Short mmCIF file of all heavy atoms in Angstrom, two decimals:
data_model
loop_
_atom_site.label_atom_id
_atom_site.label_comp_id
_atom_site.label_asym_id
_atom_site.label_seq_id
_atom_site.Cartn_x
_atom_site.Cartn_y
_atom_site.Cartn_z
N HIS A 1177 67.99 111.90 101.79
CA HIS A 1177 69.31 111.93 101.16
C HIS A 1177 69.73 113.34 100.75
O HIS A 1177 70.88 113.79 101.03
CB HIS A 1177 69.30 110.99 99.95
CG HIS A 1177 70.11 111.50 98.79
ND1 HIS A 1177 71.51 111.60 98.82
CD2 HIS A 1177 69.72 111.94 97.55
CE1 HIS A 1177 71.91 112.07 97.65
NE2 HIS A 1177 70.86 112.29 96.87
N ILE A 1178 68.79 114.08 100.16
CA ILE A 1178 69.07 115.49 99.78
C ILE A 1178 69.42 116.34 101.02
O ILE A 1178 70.38 117.11 100.98
CB ILE A 1178 67.88 116.09 99.01
CG1 ILE A 1178 67.68 115.35 97.68
CG2 ILE A 1178 68.10 117.59 98.77
CD1 ILE A 1178 66.40 115.78 96.96
N LEU A 1179 68.63 116.15 102.07
CA LEU A 1179 68.86 116.94 103.29
C LEU A 1179 70.21 116.57 103.93
O LEU A 1179 70.98 117.46 104.36
CB LEU A 1179 67.73 116.65 104.30
CG LEU A 1179 67.82 117.43 105.66
CD1 LEU A 1179 67.81 118.91 105.43
CD2 LEU A 1179 66.68 116.98 106.59
N VAL A 1180 70.49 115.27 104.00
CA VAL A 1180 71.77 114.83 104.59
C VAL A 1180 72.94 115.37 103.78
O VAL A 1180 73.96 115.85 104.34
CB VAL A 1180 71.83 113.29 104.62
CG1 VAL A 1180 73.26 112.83 105.01
CG2 VAL A 1180 70.84 112.76 105.67
N TYR A 1181 72.81 115.36 102.44
CA TYR A 1181 73.88 115.86 101.62
C TYR A 1181 74.07 117.37 101.81
O TYR A 1181 75.20 117.88 101.87
CB TYR A 1181 73.61 115.55 100.15
CG TYR A 1181 74.72 116.03 99.26
CD1 TYR A 1181 75.86 115.22 99.09
CD2 TYR A 1181 74.65 117.22 98.55
CE1 TYR A 1181 76.89 115.63 98.27
CE2 TYR A 1181 75.68 117.60 97.74
CZ TYR A 1181 76.80 116.85 97.60
OH TYR A 1181 77.83 117.27 96.80
N TYR A 1182 72.96 118.08 101.92
CA TYR A 1182 73.01 119.54 102.14
C TYR A 1182 73.69 119.89 103.45
O TYR A 1182 74.48 120.84 103.56
CB TYR A 1182 71.60 120.13 102.10
CG TYR A 1182 71.53 121.60 102.38
CD1 TYR A 1182 71.90 122.53 101.41
CD2 TYR A 1182 71.10 122.08 103.66
CE1 TYR A 1182 71.83 123.91 101.68
CE2 TYR A 1182 71.06 123.41 103.92
CZ TYR A 1182 71.41 124.34 102.92
OH TYR A 1182 71.36 125.70 103.18
N LEU A 1183 73.42 119.09 104.49
CA LEU A 1183 73.95 119.42 105.83
C LEU A 1183 75.38 118.91 106.05
O LEU A 1183 76.16 119.52 106.77
CB LEU A 1183 73.03 118.81 106.91
CG LEU A 1183 71.63 119.36 107.01
CD1 LEU A 1183 70.81 118.61 108.03
CD2 LEU A 1183 71.68 120.86 107.34
N THR A 1184 75.72 117.76 105.40
CA THR A 1184 76.98 117.14 105.68
C THR A 1184 77.92 116.98 104.49
O THR A 1184 79.10 116.73 104.65
CB THR A 1184 76.78 115.76 106.31
OG1 THR A 1184 76.20 114.89 105.30
CG2 THR A 1184 75.85 115.81 107.50
N GLY A 1185 77.33 117.07 103.29
CA GLY A 1185 78.15 116.82 102.09
C GLY A 1185 78.34 115.38 101.79
O GLY A 1185 79.10 114.98 100.88
N VAL A 1186 77.69 114.48 102.55
CA VAL A 1186 77.75 113.02 102.39
C VAL A 1186 76.49 112.52 101.68
O VAL A 1186 75.38 112.87 102.12
CB VAL A 1186 77.93 112.32 103.73
CG1 VAL A 1186 77.93 110.80 103.53
CG2 VAL A 1186 79.21 112.76 104.40
N SER A 1187 76.68 111.75 100.61
CA SER A 1187 75.53 111.25 99.87
C SER A 1187 75.11 109.83 100.37
O SER A 1187 75.99 109.00 100.53
CB SER A 1187 75.82 111.17 98.39
OG SER A 1187 74.81 110.50 97.68
N ILE A 1188 73.86 109.68 100.66
CA ILE A 1188 73.32 108.33 100.99
C ILE A 1188 72.26 107.94 99.96
O ILE A 1188 71.26 107.28 100.27
CB ILE A 1188 72.73 108.31 102.43
CG1 ILE A 1188 71.62 109.36 102.56
CG2 ILE A 1188 73.80 108.52 103.46
CD1 ILE A 1188 70.78 109.20 103.85
N ALA A 1189 72.54 108.31 98.72
CA ALA A 1189 71.57 108.07 97.63
C ALA A 1189 71.32 106.59 97.41
O ALA A 1189 70.31 106.20 96.82
CB ALA A 1189 72.04 108.76 96.32
N TYR A 1190 72.27 105.73 97.82
CA TYR A 1190 72.11 104.31 97.64
C TYR A 1190 70.98 103.73 98.46
O TYR A 1190 70.42 102.70 98.18
CB TYR A 1190 73.38 103.58 97.97
CG TYR A 1190 73.91 103.86 99.34
CD1 TYR A 1190 73.50 103.03 100.43
CD2 TYR A 1190 74.78 104.91 99.60
CE1 TYR A 1190 73.98 103.31 101.70
CE2 TYR A 1190 75.27 105.16 100.90
CZ TYR A 1190 74.84 104.37 101.94
OH TYR A 1190 75.28 104.62 103.22
N VAL A 1191 70.64 104.46 99.58
CA VAL A 1191 69.58 103.95 100.49
C VAL A 1191 68.21 103.83 99.84
O VAL A 1191 67.58 102.77 99.93
CB VAL A 1191 69.50 104.83 101.75
CG1 VAL A 1191 68.32 104.42 102.64
CG2 VAL A 1191 70.83 104.75 102.55
N PRO A 1192 67.73 104.88 99.07
CA PRO A 1192 66.43 104.72 98.41
C PRO A 1192 66.43 103.57 97.39
O PRO A 1192 65.43 102.86 97.26
CB PRO A 1192 66.27 106.07 97.71
CG PRO A 1192 67.11 107.01 98.48
CD PRO A 1192 68.27 106.23 98.95
N VAL A 1193 67.55 103.43 96.64
CA VAL A 1193 67.63 102.36 95.63
C VAL A 1193 67.53 101.02 96.31
O VAL A 1193 66.74 100.11 95.89
CB VAL A 1193 68.94 102.44 94.86
CG1 VAL A 1193 69.07 101.27 93.90
CG2 VAL A 1193 68.99 103.75 94.02
N LEU A 1194 68.28 100.79 97.38
CA LEU A 1194 68.23 99.50 98.08
C LEU A 1194 66.86 99.25 98.72
O LEU A 1194 66.37 98.14 98.70
CB LEU A 1194 69.31 99.46 99.17
CG LEU A 1194 70.76 99.43 98.68
CD1 LEU A 1194 71.70 99.46 99.87
CD2 LEU A 1194 71.04 98.16 97.87
N PHE A 1195 66.25 100.30 99.20
CA PHE A 1195 64.88 100.20 99.75
C PHE A 1195 63.94 99.65 98.68
O PHE A 1195 63.14 98.73 98.97
CB PHE A 1195 64.41 101.56 100.26
CG PHE A 1195 62.98 101.58 100.64
CD1 PHE A 1195 62.56 101.11 101.87
CD2 PHE A 1195 62.01 102.08 99.76
CE1 PHE A 1195 61.20 101.12 102.25
CE2 PHE A 1195 60.68 102.10 100.11
CZ PHE A 1195 60.25 101.63 101.34
N GLY A 1196 64.00 100.27 97.47
CA GLY A 1196 63.07 99.82 96.42
C GLY A 1196 63.29 98.37 96.03
O GLY A 1196 62.32 97.65 95.76
N ILE A 1197 64.55 97.91 96.01
CA ILE A 1197 64.82 96.55 95.63
C ILE A 1197 64.39 95.58 96.73
O ILE A 1197 63.70 94.59 96.48
CB ILE A 1197 66.35 96.36 95.38
CG1 ILE A 1197 66.74 97.11 94.10
CG2 ILE A 1197 66.71 94.88 95.20
CD1 ILE A 1197 68.24 97.17 93.86
N ILE A 1198 64.75 95.90 97.97
CA ILE A 1198 64.41 95.00 99.10
C ILE A 1198 62.89 94.91 99.33
O ILE A 1198 62.36 93.85 99.53
CB ILE A 1198 65.10 95.45 100.38
CG1 ILE A 1198 66.64 95.32 100.23
CG2 ILE A 1198 64.62 94.69 101.58
CD1 ILE A 1198 67.45 95.96 101.32
N ILE A 1199 62.23 96.05 99.28
CA ILE A 1199 60.77 96.06 99.52
C ILE A 1199 60.02 95.30 98.45
O ILE A 1199 58.93 94.72 98.71
CB ILE A 1199 60.24 97.54 99.66
CG1 ILE A 1199 58.96 97.53 100.47
CG2 ILE A 1199 60.07 98.14 98.31
CD1 ILE A 1199 59.10 97.20 101.93
N SER A 1200 60.57 95.26 97.22
CA SER A 1200 59.92 94.50 96.16
C SER A 1200 59.93 93.03 96.51
O SER A 1200 58.96 92.29 96.22
CB SER A 1200 60.65 94.75 94.83
OG SER A 1200 60.52 96.09 94.44
N PHE A 1201 61.05 92.54 97.11
CA PHE A 1201 61.09 91.15 97.52
C PHE A 1201 60.17 90.90 98.71
O PHE A 1201 59.44 89.90 98.71
CB PHE A 1201 62.55 90.82 97.97
CG PHE A 1201 63.45 90.38 96.84
CD1 PHE A 1201 64.61 91.05 96.56
CD2 PHE A 1201 63.12 89.25 96.07
CE1 PHE A 1201 65.42 90.65 95.54
CE2 PHE A 1201 63.94 88.84 95.07
CZ PHE A 1201 65.10 89.53 94.78
#
Side-chain angles (χ1 to χ4, degrees):
H1177 143 67
I1178 294 173
L1179 180 61
V1180 170
Y1181 183 80
Y1182 176 76
L1183 295 175
T1184 67
V1186 176
S1187 172
I1188 57 168
Y1190 57 89
V1191 173
V1193 174
L1194 291 177
F1195 171 82
I1197 293 172
I1198 293 170
I1199 203 69
S1200 295
F1201 273 121

